[in-house]
Amino acid sequence: MGEVGHPGRGRVREAVREGVRAYLMIAGMWVRSTMAYRASFVMTTFGSFATTFFDFVGIMLMFSRVDALGGWSLPEVAFLYGLSGTSFGLADLVIGSMERLGRRVRDGTLDTLLVRPAPVLAQVAADQFALRRLGRVVQGLLVLGWSVARLDVDWTPLKLLLMPVMLVSGCGIFCAVFVAGAAFQFLAQDASEVQNAFTYGGGALLQYPPTVFARELVRGVTFVLPLAFVNWLPATYVLGRPYPLALPEWVAFAPPLVAVACCALAGLAWRAGLRSYRSTGS
């Protein structure tokens, strides 16, 4: 009985390797195309950096009038902003092209991806890979570094270890939201704005402390769409603040498990959506 599962696991590993290989090949093609016009790349990357930077400027302007936002100081809010911005920026860089799936479904160009010998998810994720999105990642990291330098935190080894874990797990959670939103577009072909409400909107939501939102909203992004595990809950442990919803302390270390669960569920949603696709006009 123990040997029965080995072929299945082997096929899964081979499918993952094939998907990664296809993704890297397509993304590399777009990177080479982008770097053929380096001046344009530099300008668009700076534009991405500047656009997201003005979001943080807005937060700084608020703190020019108040000393705290929901009981959180500027360095603490900047800490949330940096974690959210970097995690979302990484996910947007890696898989942000998923939001265009609805357009492909409507105009029938998704059919061309189905006949290619490569996983459709990898093709859609790498399509028009935009290296300029690095500007968002850099901006998030700069704000995160600025906040860490100004926080009065006792940096234990566990807290230091939690920092990269938060960023990787947050990226995984946002990637899952991108994929699940794309899967929804198989049914609702004009749902890109709905998807953006959960991806870009979720990233903007997490830039502010949970204390400024209603408890019902905090419950929703904790137990329904678990975006709180991107930064709210682990950051609460790092900063030594009371946990929202009086949750236990161990939830600060749950982001990796939540990210894996979200990615698994998003994968199932993607497979279901792809199986339901019947080409354009159907």
Side-chain angles (χ1 to χ4, degrees), residues 40-197:
S40 175
F41 164 70
V42 171
M43 288 187 290
T44 54
T45 302
F46 178 76
S48 175
F49 175 92
T51 300
T52 53
F53 179 72
F54 282 118
D55 291 339
F56 186 64
V57 169
I59 294 176
M60 296 181 69
L61 289 175
M62 281 191 287
F63 274 93
S64 68
R65 300 295 182 182
V66 298
D67 295 327
L69 184 63
W72 292 55
S73 66
L74 176 58
E76 290 174 325
V77 174
F79 187 64
L80 293 180
Y81 180 99
L83 290 171
S84 171
T86 304
S87 297
F88 178 78
L90 289 170
D92 191 36
L93 173 67
V94 172
I95 206 168
S97 298
M98 298 295 297
E99 67 181 4
R100 286 192 289 269
L101 179 68
R103 190 183 311 161
R104 282 192 170 277
V105 172
R106 289 195 305 274
D107 61 23
T109 56
L110 182 63
D111 294 0
T112 62
L113 306 185
L114 295 174
V115 298
R116 294 175 182 171
V120 179
L121 178 59
Q123 295 184 68
V124 175
D127 182 44
Q128 298 187 27
F129 182 87
L131 194 60
R132 67 179 183 276
R133 291 170 178 162
L134 275 175
R136 181 188 293 271
V137 179
V138 172
Q139 190 264 343
L141 286 172
L142 288 176
V143 174
L144 181 60
W146 181 88
S147 67
V148 168
R150 285 160 177 77
L151 286 172
D152 183 17
V153 172
D154 180 17
W155 289 102
T156 64
L158 188 57
K159 290 181 180 180
L160 290 173
L161 178 62
L162 193 58
M163 291 293 293
V165 170
M166 281 191 282
L167 295 178
V168 174
S169 300
C171 174
I173 292 171
F174 274 122
C175 283
V177 176
F178 270 111
V179 173
F184 178 67
Q185 292 191 55
F186 280 112
L187 302 177
Q189 299 173 11
D190 295 315
S192 60
E193 294 304 321
V194 175
Q195 178 179 353
N196 291 342

